[in-house]
mmCIF file of all heavy atoms in Angstrom:
data_model
loop_
_atom_site.group_PDB
_atom_site.id
_atom_site.type_symbol
_atom_site.label_atom_id
_atom_site.label_comp_id
_atom_site.label_asym_id
_atom_site.label_seq_id
_atom_site.Cartn_x
_atom_site.Cartn_y
_atom_site.Cartn_z
ATOM 1 N N VAL A 724 -35.699 -7.989 14.523
ATOM 2 C CA VAL A 724 -34.370 -8.559 14.285
ATOM 3 C C VAL A 724 -34.263 -9.081 12.863
ATOM 4 O O VAL A 724 -33.246 -8.889 12.174
ATOM 5 C CB VAL A 724 -34.077 -9.668 15.310
ATOM 6 C CG1 VAL A 724 -32.789 -10.402 14.960
ATOM 7 C CG2 VAL A 724 -33.986 -9.091 16.718
ATOM 8 N N PHE A 727 -33.746 -6.207 10.509
ATOM 9 C CA PHE A 727 -32.367 -5.709 10.549
ATOM 10 C C PHE A 727 -31.439 -6.635 9.762
ATOM 11 O O PHE A 727 -30.561 -6.176 9.023
ATOM 12 C CB PHE A 727 -31.880 -5.608 11.991
ATOM 13 C CG PHE A 727 -32.372 -4.399 12.731
ATOM 14 C CD1 PHE A 727 -32.883 -4.521 14.018
ATOM 15 C CD2 PHE A 727 -32.318 -3.144 12.157
ATOM 16 C CE1 PHE A 727 -33.326 -3.408 14.716
ATOM 17 C CE2 PHE A 727 -32.769 -2.022 12.846
ATOM 18 C CZ PHE A 727 -33.277 -2.157 14.122
ATOM 19 N N GLU A 728 -31.617 -7.924 9.915
ATOM 20 C CA GLU A 728 -30.761 -8.878 9.212
ATOM 21 C C GLU A 728 -30.980 -8.806 7.706
ATOM 22 O O GLU A 728 -30.022 -8.875 6.919
ATOM 23 C CB GLU A 728 -31.016 -10.286 9.735
ATOM 24 C CG GLU A 728 -30.504 -10.490 11.166
ATOM 25 C CD GLU A 728 -30.911 -11.830 11.746
ATOM 26 O OE1 GLU A 728 -31.854 -12.450 11.190
ATOM 27 O OE2 GLU A 728 -30.300 -12.257 12.755
ATOM 28 N N LEU A 731 -29.331 -5.684 6.481
ATOM 29 C CA LEU A 731 -27.881 -5.873 6.433
ATOM 30 C C LEU A 731 -27.472 -6.595 5.158
ATOM 31 O O LEU A 731 -26.509 -6.204 4.490
ATOM 32 C CB LEU A 731 -27.425 -6.655 7.669
ATOM 33 C CG LEU A 731 -25.933 -6.991 7.742
ATOM 34 C CD1 LEU A 731 -25.088 -5.727 7.745
ATOM 35 C CD2 LEU A 731 -25.641 -7.840 8.989
ATOM 36 N N ARG A 735 -25.129 -4.981 2.254
ATOM 37 C CA ARG A 735 -23.866 -5.640 1.881
ATOM 38 C C ARG A 735 -23.797 -5.846 0.375
ATOM 39 O O ARG A 735 -22.748 -5.632 -0.247
ATOM 40 C CB ARG A 735 -23.741 -6.979 2.606
ATOM 41 C CG ARG A 735 -23.401 -6.891 4.092
ATOM 42 C CD ARG A 735 -22.948 -8.260 4.588
ATOM 43 N NE ARG A 735 -22.890 -8.355 6.026
ATOM 44 C CZ ARG A 735 -21.893 -7.891 6.773
ATOM 45 N NH1 ARG A 735 -20.885 -7.268 6.197
ATOM 46 N NH2 ARG A 735 -21.921 -8.056 8.084
ATOM 47 N N VAL A 743 -24.523 -0.672 5.961
ATOM 48 C CA VAL A 743 -24.052 -1.844 6.703
ATOM 49 C C VAL A 743 -23.814 -1.477 8.161
ATOM 50 O O VAL A 743 -24.214 -2.197 9.083
ATOM 51 C CB VAL A 743 -22.761 -2.402 6.063
ATOM 52 C CG1 VAL A 743 -22.114 -3.439 6.972
ATOM 53 C CG2 VAL A 743 -23.066 -3.015 4.702
ATOM 54 N N SER A 744 -23.159 -0.325 8.397
ATOM 55 C CA SER A 744 -22.893 0.082 9.785
ATOM 56 C C SER A 744 -24.188 0.381 10.526
ATOM 57 O O SER A 744 -24.309 0.101 11.723
ATOM 58 C CB SER A 744 -21.972 1.313 9.811
ATOM 59 O OG SER A 744 -22.643 2.458 9.339
ATOM 60 N N LEU A 745 -25.171 0.945 9.831
ATOM 61 C CA LEU A 745 -26.475 1.233 10.440
ATOM 62 C C LEU A 745 -27.127 -0.048 10.949
ATOM 63 O O LEU A 745 -27.593 -0.121 12.097
ATOM 64 C CB LEU A 745 -27.377 1.923 9.418
ATOM 65 C CG LEU A 745 -28.793 2.287 9.864
ATOM 66 C CD1 LEU A 745 -28.753 3.507 10.778
ATOM 67 C CD2 LEU A 745 -29.681 2.582 8.643
ATOM 68 N N ALA A 746 -27.157 -1.061 10.097
ATOM 69 C CA ALA A 746 -27.780 -2.331 10.484
ATOM 70 C C ALA A 746 -26.958 -3.054 11.548
ATOM 71 O O ALA A 746 -27.509 -3.643 12.490
ATOM 72 C CB ALA A 746 -27.959 -3.213 9.252
ATOM 73 N N LEU A 747 -25.646 -3.017 11.432
ATOM 74 C CA LEU A 747 -24.794 -3.689 12.409
ATOM 75 C C LEU A 747 -24.920 -3.057 13.799
ATOM 76 O O LEU A 747 -24.932 -3.763 14.812
ATOM 77 C CB LEU A 747 -23.333 -3.647 11.956
ATOM 78 C CG LEU A 747 -22.938 -4.601 10.831
ATOM 79 C CD1 LEU A 747 -21.538 -4.279 10.350
ATOM 80 C CD2 LEU A 747 -23.024 -6.051 11.294
ATOM 81 N N GLU A 748 -25.003 -1.741 13.847
ATOM 82 C CA GLU A 748 -25.155 -1.083 15.148
ATOM 83 C C GLU A 748 -26.465 -1.517 15.811
ATOM 84 O O GLU A 748 -26.505 -1.798 17.018
ATOM 85 C CB GLU A 748 -25.139 0.434 15.008
ATOM 86 C CG GLU A 748 -25.274 1.138 16.344
ATOM 87 C CD GLU A 748 -25.310 2.649 16.235
ATOM 88 O OE1 GLU A 748 -25.517 3.165 15.128
ATOM 89 O OE2 GLU A 748 -25.149 3.311 17.280
ATOM 90 N N ALA A 749 -27.541 -1.586 15.018
ATOM 91 C CA ALA A 749 -28.829 -2.022 15.568
ATOM 92 C C ALA A 749 -28.746 -3.456 16.079
ATOM 93 O O ALA A 749 -29.224 -3.778 17.180
ATOM 94 C CB ALA A 749 -29.910 -1.891 14.503
ATOM 95 N N LEU A 750 -28.105 -4.327 15.302
ATOM 96 C CA LEU A 750 -27.979 -5.717 15.725
ATOM 97 C C LEU A 750 -27.077 -5.847 16.950
ATOM 98 O O LEU A 750 -27.307 -6.693 17.814
ATOM 99 C CB LEU A 750 -27.448 -6.559 14.568
ATOM 100 C CG LEU A 750 -28.451 -6.809 13.431
ATOM 101 C CD1 LEU A 750 -27.754 -7.436 12.235
ATOM 102 C CD2 LEU A 750 -29.593 -7.709 13.911
ATOM 103 N N ALA A 751 -26.044 -5.002 17.012
ATOM 104 C CA ALA A 751 -25.177 -5.022 18.200
ATOM 105 C C ALA A 751 -25.971 -4.669 19.451
ATOM 106 O O ALA A 751 -25.788 -5.266 20.521
ATOM 107 C CB ALA A 751 -24.019 -4.036 18.020
ATOM 108 N N THR A 752 -26.886 -3.709 19.318
ATOM 109 C CA THR A 752 -27.725 -3.319 20.450
ATOM 110 C C THR A 752 -28.644 -4.469 20.868
ATOM 111 O O THR A 752 -28.753 -4.802 22.058
ATOM 112 C CB THR A 752 -28.565 -2.091 20.071
ATOM 113 O OG1 THR A 752 -27.696 -1.022 19.693
ATOM 114 C CG2 THR A 752 -29.442 -1.654 21.236
ATOM 115 N N VAL A 753 -29.277 -5.087 19.879
ATOM 116 C CA VAL A 753 -30.203 -6.186 20.168
ATOM 117 C C VAL A 753 -29.467 -7.366 20.787
ATOM 118 O O VAL A 753 -29.927 -7.975 21.768
ATOM 119 C CB VAL A 753 -30.940 -6.607 18.887
ATOM 120 C CG1 VAL A 753 -31.764 -7.866 19.132
ATOM 121 C CG2 VAL A 753 -31.838 -5.480 18.398
ATOM 122 N N GLU A 754 -28.311 -7.701 20.242
ATOM 123 C CA GLU A 754 -27.539 -8.835 20.772
ATOM 124 C C GLU A 754 -27.130 -8.579 22.222
ATOM 125 O O GLU A 754 -27.173 -9.485 23.064
ATOM 126 C CB GLU A 754 -26.294 -9.077 19.912
ATOM 127 C CG GLU A 754 -26.565 -9.450 18.462
ATOM 128 C CD GLU A 754 -27.015 -10.890 18.292
ATOM 129 O OE1 GLU A 754 -27.266 -11.573 19.308
ATOM 130 O OE2 GLU A 754 -27.109 -11.347 17.147
ATOM 131 N N ALA A 755 -26.740 -7.345 22.529
ATOM 132 C CA ALA A 755 -26.367 -7.027 23.913
ATOM 133 C C ALA A 755 -27.572 -7.140 24.837
ATOM 134 O O ALA A 755 -27.467 -7.668 25.954
ATOM 135 C CB ALA A 755 -25.773 -5.620 23.975
ATOM 136 N N ARG A 759 -26.152 -11.721 24.387
ATOM 137 C CA ARG A 759 -25.105 -12.297 23.524
ATOM 138 C C ARG A 759 -24.021 -11.227 23.327
ATOM 139 O O ARG A 759 -23.927 -10.599 22.266
ATOM 140 C CB ARG A 759 -25.716 -12.770 22.209
ATOM 141 C CG ARG A 759 -26.677 -13.952 22.385
ATOM 142 C CD ARG A 759 -27.173 -14.468 21.046
ATOM 143 N NE ARG A 759 -28.115 -13.539 20.418
ATOM 144 C CZ ARG A 759 -29.419 -13.526 20.621
ATOM 145 N NH1 ARG A 759 -29.959 -14.396 21.471
ATOM 146 N NH2 ARG A 759 -30.210 -12.665 20.007
ATOM 147 N N PHE A 760 -23.212 -11.038 24.351
ATOM 148 C CA PHE A 760 -22.287 -9.916 24.371
ATOM 149 C C PHE A 760 -21.142 -10.080 23.370
ATOM 150 O O PHE A 760 -20.684 -9.106 22.774
ATOM 151 C CB PHE A 760 -21.723 -9.732 25.787
ATOM 152 C CG PHE A 760 -22.779 -9.553 26.832
ATOM 153 C CD1 PHE A 760 -22.671 -10.186 28.069
ATOM 154 C CD2 PHE A 760 -23.892 -8.771 26.583
ATOM 155 C CE1 PHE A 760 -23.645 -10.026 29.031
ATOM 156 C CE2 PHE A 760 -24.874 -8.600 27.543
ATOM 157 C CZ PHE A 760 -24.759 -9.233 28.766
ATOM 158 N N ARG A 761 -20.671 -11.314 23.181
ATOM 159 C CA ARG A 761 -19.590 -11.523 22.224
ATOM 160 C C ARG A 761 -20.051 -11.185 20.806
ATOM 161 O O ARG A 761 -19.343 -10.518 20.052
ATOM 162 C CB ARG A 761 -19.092 -12.967 22.294
ATOM 163 C CG ARG A 761 -17.843 -13.227 21.448
ATOM 164 C CD ARG A 761 -17.307 -14.633 21.672
ATOM 165 N NE ARG A 761 -17.030 -14.863 23.082
ATOM 166 C CZ ARG A 761 -15.953 -14.419 23.703
ATOM 167 N NH1 ARG A 761 -15.046 -13.711 23.050
ATOM 168 N NH2 ARG A 761 -15.775 -14.676 24.991
ATOM 169 N N ARG A 762 -21.264 -11.633 20.483
ATOM 170 C CA ARG A 762 -21.802 -11.326 19.154
ATOM 171 C C ARG A 762 -22.031 -9.821 18.997
ATOM 172 O O ARG A 762 -21.792 -9.250 17.933
ATOM 173 C CB ARG A 762 -23.122 -12.081 18.965
ATOM 174 C CG ARG A 762 -23.689 -12.002 17.570
ATOM 175 C CD ARG A 762 -22.832 -12.733 16.589
ATOM 176 N NE ARG A 762 -23.427 -12.739 15.250
ATOM 177 C CZ ARG A 762 -22.737 -12.688 14.132
ATOM 178 N NH1 ARG A 762 -21.407 -12.639 14.183
ATOM 179 N NH2 ARG A 762 -23.348 -12.717 12.965
ATOM 180 N N SER A 763 -22.479 -9.201 20.082
ATOM 181 C CA SER A 763 -22.677 -7.752 20.053
ATOM 182 C C SER A 763 -21.362 -7.037 19.756
ATOM 183 O O SER A 763 -21.304 -6.118 18.933
ATOM 184 C CB SER A 763 -23.242 -7.275 21.392
ATOM 185 O OG SER A 763 -23.323 -5.873 21.429
ATOM 186 N N ALA A 764 -20.289 -7.465 20.429
ATOM 187 C CA ALA A 764 -18.979 -6.842 20.206
ATOM 188 C C ALA A 764 -18.513 -7.047 18.773
ATOM 189 O O ALA A 764 -17.941 -6.139 18.148
ATOM 190 C CB ALA A 764 -17.957 -7.411 21.193
ATOM 191 N N GLU A 765 -18.744 -8.232 18.214
ATOM 192 C CA GLU A 765 -18.329 -8.500 16.838
ATOM 193 C C GLU A 765 -19.057 -7.581 15.860
ATOM 194 O O GLU A 765 -18.456 -7.026 14.932
ATOM 195 C CB GLU A 765 -18.602 -9.969 16.492
ATOM 196 C CG GLU A 765 -17.684 -10.951 17.224
ATOM 197 C CD GLU A 765 -18.118 -12.395 17.043
ATOM 198 O OE1 GLU A 765 -19.201 -12.625 16.446
ATOM 199 O OE2 GLU A 765 -17.385 -13.292 17.507
ATOM 200 N N HIS A 766 -20.389 -7.425 16.058
ATOM 201 C CA HIS A 766 -21.139 -6.518 15.191
ATOM 202 C C HIS A 766 -20.631 -5.089 15.328
ATOM 203 O O HIS A 766 -20.459 -4.379 14.326
ATOM 204 C CB HIS A 766 -22.630 -6.560 15.551
ATOM 205 C CG HIS A 766 -23.343 -7.787 15.057
ATOM 206 N ND1 HIS A 766 -23.092 -8.354 13.836
ATOM 207 C CD2 HIS A 766 -24.343 -8.517 15.608
ATOM 208 C CE1 HIS A 766 -23.875 -9.401 13.663
ATOM 209 N NE2 HIS A 766 -24.653 -9.522 14.727
ATOM 210 N N ALA A 767 -20.411 -4.663 16.568
ATOM 211 C CA ALA A 767 -19.965 -3.288 16.793
ATOM 212 C C ALA A 767 -18.580 -3.047 16.199
ATOM 213 O O ALA A 767 -18.313 -1.990 15.614
ATOM 214 C CB ALA A 767 -19.957 -2.978 18.288
ATOM 215 N N GLU A 768 -17.679 -4.023 16.325
ATOM 216 C CA GLU A 768 -16.337 -3.876 15.767
ATOM 217 C C GLU A 768 -16.387 -3.741 14.253
ATOM 218 O O GLU A 768 -15.685 -2.906 13.658
ATOM 219 C CB GLU A 768 -15.471 -5.074 16.165
ATOM 220 C CG GLU A 768 -15.012 -5.034 17.618
ATOM 221 C CD GLU A 768 -14.326 -6.311 18.052
ATOM 222 O OE1 GLU A 768 -14.397 -7.307 17.299
ATOM 223 O OE2 GLU A 768 -13.731 -6.330 19.147
ATOM 224 N N GLU A 769 -17.232 -4.559 13.598
ATOM 225 C CA GLU A 769 -17.339 -4.455 12.144
ATOM 226 C C GLU A 769 -17.946 -3.115 11.747
ATOM 227 O O GLU A 769 -17.518 -2.499 10.762
ATOM 228 C CB GLU A 769 -18.177 -5.599 11.574
ATOM 229 C CG GLU A 769 -18.190 -5.584 10.046
ATOM 230 C CD GLU A 769 -19.060 -6.666 9.429
ATOM 231 O OE1 GLU A 769 -19.626 -7.492 10.172
ATOM 232 O OE2 GLU A 769 -19.188 -6.665 8.184
ATOM 233 N N ALA A 770 -18.938 -2.657 12.503
ATOM 234 C CA ALA A 770 -19.549 -1.362 12.197
ATOM 235 C C ALA A 770 -18.540 -0.231 12.336
ATOM 236 O O ALA A 770 -18.505 0.697 11.516
ATOM 237 C CB ALA A 770 -20.743 -1.121 13.119
ATOM 238 N N VAL A 771 -17.681 -0.308 13.373
ATOM 239 C CA VAL A 771 -16.623 0.687 13.539
ATOM 240 C C VAL A 771 -15.697 0.676 12.338
ATOM 241 O O VAL A 771 -15.302 1.730 11.808
ATOM 242 C CB VAL A 771 -15.835 0.430 14.844
ATOM 243 C CG1 VAL A 771 -14.521 1.211 14.863
ATOM 244 C CG2 VAL A 771 -16.685 0.796 16.052
ATOM 245 N N ASP A 772 -15.325 -0.516 11.876
ATOM 246 C CA ASP A 772 -14.446 -0.623 10.705
ATOM 247 C C ASP A 772 -15.096 0.025 9.480
ATOM 248 O O ASP A 772 -14.428 0.725 8.698
ATOM 249 C CB ASP A 772 -14.132 -2.089 10.403
ATOM 250 C CG ASP A 772 -13.232 -2.715 11.460
ATOM 251 O OD1 ASP A 772 -12.595 -1.957 12.213
ATOM 252 O OD2 ASP A 772 -13.181 -3.959 11.534
ATOM 253 N N MET A 773 -16.392 -0.212 9.302
ATOM 254 C CA MET A 773 -17.094 0.359 8.148
ATOM 255 C C MET A 773 -17.088 1.884 8.187
ATOM 256 O O MET A 773 -16.788 2.550 7.192
ATOM 257 C CB MET A 773 -18.544 -0.153 8.114
ATOM 258 C CG MET A 773 -18.682 -1.602 7.712
ATOM 259 S SD MET A 773 -18.286 -1.796 5.958
ATOM 260 C CE MET A 773 -18.238 -3.593 5.830
ATOM 261 N N LEU A 774 -17.434 2.438 9.339
ATOM 262 C CA LEU A 774 -17.485 3.895 9.431
ATOM 263 C C LEU A 774 -16.088 4.513 9.400
ATOM 264 O O LEU A 774 -15.923 5.643 8.944
ATOM 265 C CB LEU A 774 -18.203 4.320 10.704
ATOM 266 C CG LEU A 774 -19.729 4.357 10.640
ATOM 267 C CD1 LEU A 774 -20.286 5.102 11.842
ATOM 268 C CD2 LEU A 774 -20.246 5.018 9.369
ATOM 269 N N LEU A 786 -20.681 4.624 17.824
ATOM 270 C CA LEU A 786 -20.401 3.201 17.621
ATOM 271 C C LEU A 786 -19.304 2.713 18.570
ATOM 272 O O LEU A 786 -19.364 1.594 19.080
ATOM 273 C CB LEU A 786 -19.979 2.960 16.169
ATOM 274 C CG LEU A 786 -21.095 2.579 15.201
ATOM 275 C CD1 LEU A 786 -20.549 2.469 13.795
ATOM 276 C CD2 LEU A 786 -21.724 1.262 15.616
ATOM 277 N N ARG A 789 -20.865 1.996 21.786
ATOM 278 C CA ARG A 789 -21.579 0.719 21.749
ATOM 279 C C ARG A 789 -20.597 -0.435 21.916
ATOM 280 O O ARG A 789 -20.846 -1.405 22.644
ATOM 281 C CB ARG A 789 -22.318 0.596 20.421
ATOM 282 C CG ARG A 789 -23.103 -0.687 20.247
ATOM 283 C CD ARG A 789 -24.335 -0.717 21.122
ATOM 284 N NE ARG A 789 -25.243 0.365 20.767
ATOM 285 C CZ ARG A 789 -26.135 0.885 21.600
ATOM 286 N NH1 ARG A 789 -26.231 0.419 22.832
ATOM 287 N NH2 ARG A 789 -26.932 1.855 21.209
ATOM 288 N N LEU A 790 -19.439 -0.332 21.248
ATOM 289 C CA LEU A 790 -18.415 -1.368 21.367
ATOM 290 C C LEU A 790 -17.854 -1.409 22.783
ATOM 291 O O LEU A 790 -17.646 -2.491 23.347
ATOM 292 C CB LEU A 790 -17.295 -1.107 20.360
ATOM 293 C CG LEU A 790 -16.082 -2.026 20.416
ATOM 294 C CD1 LEU A 790 -16.484 -3.487 20.238
ATOM 295 C CD2 LEU A 790 -15.057 -1.623 19.352
ATOM 296 N N ALA A 793 -20.196 -3.337 24.995
ATOM 297 C CA ALA A 793 -20.122 -4.788 24.796
ATOM 298 C C ALA A 793 -18.853 -5.366 25.416
ATOM 299 O O ALA A 793 -18.870 -6.445 26.028
ATOM 300 C CB ALA A 793 -20.187 -5.101 23.303
#
Side-chain angles (χ1 to χ4, degrees):
V724 172
F727 281 134
E728 290 173 342
L731 177 60
R735 286 195 193 280
V743 169
S744 70
L745 179 75
L747 284 171
E748 181 182 15
L750 288 170
T752 302
V753 172
E754 298 284 8
R759 294 185 288 272
F760 304 138
R761 187 174 304 281
R762 188 68 176 145
S763 175
E765 290 171 354
H766 284 321
E768 285 172 348
E769 185 183 357
V771 165
D772 290 342
M773 288 290 170
L774 277 193
L786 267 176
R789 180 72 62 204
L790 175 57

